């Protein structure tokens, strides 16, 4: 990976607030926000829901893997990944390399009640059609171990977006200052 990398990568399930919190964190750091879902839509020239219908989930996931790979090497701001991006083994490996190089991957850990309230009956989320609450619970359960695998830090995301953004910024500040003395600092 090149020396250019995002300041922070946000991961989590639908309804965790990745886009909203990402926007707030980006504003507070005076950095650009990049959302890989928006990148996928721009590349395909259509909304994600249409990609699923017209081309299938496999085509969407291929576009998503490419969007993440590009963003991790070219974006220097705040990066929000789509909720299912962590399903791809190569994406998890790339996030591991990014983290090993000192990057921050923040898992926005949201409970089912908050996520359901935020997602509602959003028909633009093809994997949540039918019974959104049951589908969301299933997605969250199936993906949780992957979010935890790639995360360098976990931030509870059930609260107000401003509070979650503050918590993300506090974690970034703590990581940046790091240990200043003692054996951890190599002193």
């Amino acid at each position: 990976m090149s020396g250019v990398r995002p300041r922070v990568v946000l991961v989590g399930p639908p309804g965790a607030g990745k886009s909203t919190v990402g926007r707030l964190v980006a504003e507070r750091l005076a950095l650009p926000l990049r959302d890989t879902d928006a990148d996928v839509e721009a590349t395909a020239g259509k909304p994600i829901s249409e990609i699923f219908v017209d081309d299938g989930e496999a085509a969407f996931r291929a576009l998503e893997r490419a969007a993440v790979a590009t963003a991790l090497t070219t974006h220097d701001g705040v990066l929000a990944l789509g909720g299912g991006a962590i399903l791809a083994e190569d994406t998890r490996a790339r996030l591991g390399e990014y983290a090993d190089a000192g990057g921050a991957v923040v898992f926005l850990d949201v409970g089912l009640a908050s996520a359901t309230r935020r997602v509602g009956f959003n028909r633009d989320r093809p994997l949540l059609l039918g019974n959104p609450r049951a589908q969301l619970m299933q997605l969250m359960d199936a993906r949780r171990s992957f979010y935890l695998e790639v995360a360098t830090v976990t931030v509870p995301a059930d609260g107000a977006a401003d509070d979650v953004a503050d918590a993300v910024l506090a974690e970034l500040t703590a990581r940046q200052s790091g240990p200043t003395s003692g054996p951890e600092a190599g002193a």
Side-chain angles (χ1 to χ4, degrees), residues 80-96:
L81 301 190
I86 47 76
L87 294 172
E89 187 175 335
D90 57 330
T91 295
R92 292 193 309 274
R94 288 179 196 282
L95 288 169

Side-chain angles (χ1 to χ4, degrees), residues 173-181:
T173 300
R175 285 177 56 87
Q176 202 169 26
S177 59
T180 56
S181 64

Side-chain angles (χ1 to χ4, degrees), residues 88-138:
E89 187 175 335
D90 57 330
T91 295
R92 292 193 309 274
R94 288 179 196 282
L95 288 169
E97 292 170 13
Y98 163 76
D100 289 346
V105 181
V106 177
F107 169 31
L108 297 181
D109 190 10
V110 66
L112 181 61
S114 294
T116 302
R117 185 177 64 253
R118 292 173 185 167
V119 171
F121 295 102
N122 188 337
R123 298 295 179 210
D124 292 332
R125 297 181 187 258
L127 294 180
L128 299 181
L129 293 178
N131 181 343
R133 183 178 173 87
Q135 295 293 337
L136 187 55
M137 183 173 69
Q138 182 181 1

